[in-house]
Amino acid sequence: MPNKSTSGKTLGKCVNNKAAERKRQMAQKEGGTGQGRIKTEDSFGAKAMSGAPAAGGGVVVEVREKKGPLRAAIPTMPFPLAVICLFLNTFIPGLGTFISAFTVLCGARSDLVSERGVCCVFWLNVAAALIQILTAVIMVGWIMSIFWGMDMVILASCRDQGVPQDV
C-alpha cells in the first residue's frame, strides 16, 4: 500500500522484488536485523524506515519527479491571470503561454529563475509557446497548450494557499 503525505501526493510505493528479499536474508545471516536503518526525519517531519519491509512484503521506495527545463520555467502567476491564460490556451493554442512569458519579466516566480535568470526563463516560455503554436496543426500543440494552462492554474492555486506542490 503506498505511503501518503498530508497533501495526498504519493511519496513512495511498495515494490516486490527478490533482490531486496535476498539482501534482507543475508543481513539476518550476518547478524543484522534485516529491518534497514531508521531515517531521522523526512521533509514532512515523519520518521520512516529506509529499506524496511512493508506490509505487503515489498520495500518502500521514495519517488521524486524531475522537471525538465520547459516545465520548470512555467511561472507562478496570480490565480485570475492563470485562469485567463488557461482560457486563451484552450481556444488559441500558445497564446496564454506567450502571455505568461511576459509575467516572468514582471516578477512572477519560476523554479528556474534562480538557476538560469529571468531572461533565459522568458525565452524558454516563448519557445514553449512557439512549439504549441507550430504543433497545434497536428493536435499535439493544442493538447500541450491545455495542459500547460492547467499547470499554470495549479501553480497559482498553490501560491494562493501557500502550499508548495510539484506539477
Side-chain angles (χ1 to χ4, degrees):
M1 176 171 247
N3 292 337
K4 299 269 184 181
S5 71
T6 56
S7 67
K9 291 200 65 121
T10 303
L11 290 179
K13 65 179 186 178
C14 294
V15 178
N16 291 322
N17 108 19
K18 293 179 182 179
E21 184 63 34
R22 278 189 238 129
K23 286 181 184 179
R24 213 174 7 267
Q25 289 173 354
M26 289 176 60
Q28 287 175 345
K29 287 180 185 177
E30 293 173 3
T33 63
Q35 296 296 316
R37 292 182 220 127
I38 296 177
K39 290 184 353 183
T40 55
E41 258 184 76
D42 64 5
S43 61
F44 297 104
K47 292 186 178 183
M49 299 290 286
S50 175
V59 177
V60 177
V61 177
E62 186 172 314
V63 178
R64 297 215 180 240
E65 181 183 2
K66 182 181 176 188
K67 296 179 182 178
L70 282 179
R71 183 102 182 230
I74 298 174
T76 304
M77 301 175 281
F79 188 76
L81 183 58
V83 171
I84 290 169
C85 287
L86 170 61
F87 181 78
L88 291 172
N89 272 349
T90 302
F91 295 104
I92 306 168
L95 183 61
T97 306
F98 188 71
I99 290 171
S100 74
F102 288 97
T103 64
V104 174
L105 297 177
C106 295
R109 291 179 298 129
S110 172
D111 292 343
L112 280 183
V113 170
S114 61
E115 293 176 25
R116 297 192 179 189
V118 174
C119 190
C120 182
V121 173
F122 168 76
W123 287 112
L124 281 170
N125 279 295
V126 170
L130 288 175
I131 291 169
Q132 292 168 6
I133 291 167
L134 294 175
T135 58
V137 177
I138 56 172
M139 298 296 287
V140 173
W142 187 41
I143 294 168
M144 178 185 173
S145 185
I146 293 170
F147 278 109
W148 222 256
M150 291 183 345
D151 285 344
M152 288 180 215
V153 171
I154 290 169
L155 282 172
S157 66
C158 293
R159 172 188 171 263
D160 290 345
Q161 294 173 0
V163 178
Q165 181 175 349
D166 292 339
V167 177

